[in-house]
Amino acid sequence: MTDAVSGAVEAGPERIARVVLVDDHRMFRTGVRAEIGRTEVTGIDVVGEADDVESAVQVVAETRPDVVLLDVHLPGGGGVEVLRRSAPLMSDPNGVRFLALSVSDAAEDVIGVIRGGARGYVTKTITGTDLVNAIFRISDGDAVFSPRLAGFVLDAFAATDTPPVDEDLDRLTQREREVLRLIARGYAYKEIAKQLFISVKTVESHVSAVLRKLQLSNRHELTRWATARRLV
């Protein structure tokens, strides 16, 4: 299913947005660059890339792009850590703006990066055209969300009570949570591997770790556990 990001802004050679890509999967970055980085057509100039928190903070500080496309789950502390360390660059009205681009559509991931200062959040199912439009809207100061994800943000900021801490869920790494949700949704190992840009063997390792940490026996118990916590 493709995200619909409304409010398109016409882009062209007469208008350029300087963009940094932050994602720990090189093949994904290469694909995004090929899709949107044709400056003469899209108006997007990819001025840098990074694959972890340290390199992201460095390249953003050095290039001062208009928009950073930021993955949520990165080695070194995740997208939230990049936002925290880049806060001085966001404080200026014409400063760097961040748009989260992630495979995850989990409420806690969306809320976490928005609280950290990101101006929007779209998932990796977005089309190239919609992504270009989203980048220009973020550059103009708008907020951009995939429709379903916008509801998470509204609900979170409307809530007066802090949600209780789930100690079982906190035992899992961000990647293990991603695998957990996809398993609970009925995805096969090969499908998960393709979606997360990892090997089937790595998926199997993550599933084993999740089952061990949650003291569950199989994927059926795991699905029931995730459904009871509304993680699916």
Side-chain angles (χ1 to χ4, degrees), residues 115-128:
R115 290 191 186 279
R119 295 288 302 172
Y121 194 118
V122 293
T123 61
K124 291 181 177 179
T125 54
I126 193 170
T127 66

Side-chain angles (χ1 to χ4, degrees), residues 32-46:
V32 172
R33 180 187 280 270
E35 183 73 20
I36 72 172
R38 296 165 294 149
T39 309
E40 70 283 0
V41 176
T42 63
I44 302 298
D45 181 14
V46 179

Side-chain angles (χ1 to χ4, degrees), residues 50-232:
D51 60 4
D52 60 16
V53 169
E54 288 297 332
S55 61
V57 171
Q58 180 177 350
V59 74
V60 170
E62 290 176 351
T63 61
R64 301 292 180 100
D66 299 306
V67 177
V68 178
L69 292 181
L70 179 68
D71 193 12
V72 174
H73 302 143
L74 295 167
V80 172
E81 180 64 11
V82 175
L83 290 163
R84 185 187 70 79
R85 293 174 57 180
S86 301
L89 301 179
M90 294 187 282
S91 59
D92 188 289
N94 296 316
V96 178
R97 294 186 171 96
F98 287 79
L99 171 62
L101 175 62
S102 177
V103 69
S104 171
D105 61 359
E108 64 264 30
D109 289 335
V110 178
I111 295 164
V113 295
I114 297 306
R115 290 191 186 279
R119 295 288 302 172
Y121 194 118
V122 293
T123 61
K124 291 181 177 179
T125 54
I126 193 170
T127 66
T129 299
D130 284 343
L131 182 56
V132 169
N133 292 333
I135 290 169
F136 277 102
R137 289 182 60 197
I138 291 291
S139 179
D140 287 339
D142 291 343
V144 179
F145 297 94
S146 300
R148 176 172 175 265
L149 307 186
F152 295 154
V153 179
L154 292 173
D155 290 344
F157 284 91
T160 56
D161 297 325
T162 303
V165 175
D166 189 325
E167 294 183 358
D168 289 333
L169 189 60
D170 282 349
R171 294 192 184 100
L172 306 182
T173 66
Q174 291 289 354
R175 180 63 85 192
E176 288 168 353
R177 294 185 193 191
E178 289 179 338
V179 172
L180 163 65
R181 291 188 186 92
L182 293 174
I183 285 289
R185 291 172 184 173
Y187 283 73
Y189 285 5
K190 287 184 179 179
E191 294 173 321
I192 297 172
K194 182 177 180 181
Q195 185 159 341
L196 298 182
F197 300 95
I198 58 180
S199 69
V200 173
K201 186 174 182 180
T202 300
V203 173
E204 293 172 348
S205 296
H206 285 314
V207 172
S208 295
V210 170
L211 293 174
R212 183 181 69 254
K213 290 179 180 181
L214 300 181
Q215 299 182 348
L216 300 174
S217 300
N218 53 55
R219 66 181 299 163
H220 300 294
E221 291 184 2
L222 186 152
T223 300
R224 287 197 296 270
W225 187 92
T227 302
R229 286 162 174 79
R230 300 181 178 179
L231 299 177
V232 181

